[in-house]
Amino acid sequence: MSTVDQMQSRGSLIERIAADRPSLSKAFGRIADVLISAPAEFMGRSIQEIAASAGVSEPSVVRFCRHYDFDGVPDFRIALAMSLVAENANPSRPFLEPTIADKAFVNRAMKMAVAREAVQLIDSDRSLILDSGSTIQYFAQHLRAASGRTILTTGLNIIETLWGCRQHTVMLPGGTVRFDARALTGRMVEQSLENMRFDTVYFGADSIDPEHGLSTFNEDEAHQNAAMANASRRLVVLVDSTKFRAPSLHRFCGIERIDTIVTDRNIPADIESSLRDRGVKLLIADHTGEDSIK
């Protein structure tokens, strides 16, 4: 069962864990207390830091997440954030965005297959915008061997991936650093794009829906993504199939603006049909399970 399906079938993870608290083991109870009292700490800290805060071993933190049928801590934290979105989170509780490290780990093989499939689209591009998402970072790895292009990005992770690729002209707009996302954000990003034009923008998304369009966890990111779309002739979206069932939050683009979506073969049939009916081109990556990080 995917992270999204797990979240949808269970509602709020925090509520479930709070209900379970009296029956949990001593170690799991301490971890639950950290999560319930300080969800931001659980979302943003390393496993080592969570274990130290709860006074338990690091394997106990992993076992706690697996107790709720997740593969590990990254999957659990993604589902935690998404469950809070799905329940329209308590207004008194600040929204918690997953870190880029957690996003990159979850569904990694599918994301790598999608990124590899998308490379065929760059032939007509002389200038590109890349967002800061984890799938786009895998896509940027393929650009290391591509001929020279002008590339603008808000992603510090993308800059790191393209470091030393002197054939490219790589541009960063101004902005404020979002450390967990390893990206720039803010009005300065939008101002930088106002008088610029690019061939294609390559987006990831936290959620994609045939009716609602593309959305993301972070409101500032949604504003700058809309500016990126307005500065580009063509819009391409790279998403693994789990994003089609994710709850939406901050919308930044309608489906009618999208030229091509690159995803994997697990895209739900009804959604695939709906997207094709709306004139969206689809590229389907065949994930074999053999992808790996080199």
Side-chain angles (χ1 to χ4, degrees):
M1 185 181 294
S2 72
T3 297
V4 176
D5 289 336
Q6 288 169 319
M7 177 277 301
Q8 288 180 332
S9 68
R10 297 171 184 181
S12 168
L13 275 177
I14 288 183
E15 290 179 355
R16 184 185 178 200
I17 292 166
D20 288 349
R21 176 64 182 87
S23 62
L24 293 176
S25 67
K26 185 175 182 180
F28 283 9
R30 289 176 176 174
I31 298 168
D33 290 342
V34 168
L35 171 59
I36 294 167
S37 65
E41 179 176 304
F42 195 95
M43 289 288 292
R45 293 192 172 185
S46 68
I47 296 176
Q48 294 86 348
E49 290 170 329
I50 294 170
S53 180
V56 301
S57 67
E58 294 168 24
S60 292
V61 178
V62 177
R63 287 195 294 269
F64 175 85
C65 297
R66 290 177 177 169
H67 176 74
Y68 288 94
D69 295 332
F70 294 94
D71 290 337
V73 177
D75 301 74
F76 182 94
R77 292 199 286 208
I78 295 286
L80 173 61
M82 293 171 68
S83 71
L84 292 174
V85 174
E87 69 169 345
N88 196 23
N90 187 330
S92 65
R93 180 186 296 149
F95 177 72
L96 302 177
E97 181 180 6
T99 66
I100 190 68
D102 283 347
K103 290 181 180 180
F105 185 86
V106 174
N107 302 321
R108 179 172 59 178
M110 285 192 291
K111 291 176 179 179
M112 294 179 71
V114 166
R116 185 179 59 247
E117 186 73 20
V119 174
Q120 63 183 280
L121 297 173
I122 70 171
D123 287 347
S124 62
D125 294 330
R126 300 268 59 86
S127 59
L128 299 74
I129 300 178
L130 304 182
D131 82 0
S132 60
S134 56
T135 306
I136 302 300
Q137 183 174 359
Y138 293 133
F139 176 65
Q141 291 176 354
H142 294 282
L143 298 182
R144 291 188 59 84
S147 58
R149 287 165 169 80
T150 297
I151 301 171
L152 182 142
T153 184
T154 56
L156 302 181
N157 57 330
I158 305 301
I159 294 295
E160 182 180 6
T161 299
L162 294 176
W163 194 263
C165 295
R166 298 183 183 276
Q167 76 273 29
H168 298 310
T169 299
V170 182
M171 306 166 62
L172 271 174
T176 303
V177 176
R178 290 167 54 210
F179 288 102
D180 286 344
R182 299 178 67 190
L184 299 176
T185 192
R187 179 59 182 155
M188 291 177 66
V189 174
E190 299 168 50
Q191 290 173 335
S192 298
L193 290 165
E194 285 178 354
N195 296 313
M196 304 181 77
R197 292 295 178 267
F198 292 81
D199 291 326
T200 303
V201 57
Y202 290 86
F203 280 129
D206 292 314
S207 172
I208 179 168
D209 180 86
E211 300 295 331
H212 189 72
L214 303 177
S215 64
T216 186
F217 284 114
N218 184 275
E219 184 175 7
D220 287 340
E221 182 178 343
H223 286 299
Q224 72 189 39
N225 283 356
M228 290 178 182
N230 290 336
S232 303
R233 176 181 56 83
R234 182 175 66 156
L235 197 157
V236 174
V237 181
L238 280 59
V239 288
D240 68 80
S241 56
T242 65
K243 302 300 176 60
F244 291 104
R245 297 196 184 280
S248 59
L249 189 59
H250 298 291
R251 181 180 183 270
F252 65 87
C253 179
I255 290 296
E256 69 280 356
R257 282 282 286 113
I258 300 173
D259 180 87
T260 303
I261 295 174
V262 189
T263 189
D264 62 81
R265 64 189 180 198
N266 294 323
I267 178 175
D270 58 329
I271 293 178
E272 178 179 354
S273 177
S274 178
L275 290 171
R276 293 190 188 277
D277 289 345
R278 290 168 181 265
V280 178
K281 302 170 188 173
L282 289 176
L283 284 180
I284 308 298
D286 186 19
H287 155 52
T288 64
E290 297 174 355
D291 302 279
S292 62
I293 299 292
K294 300 299 184 182

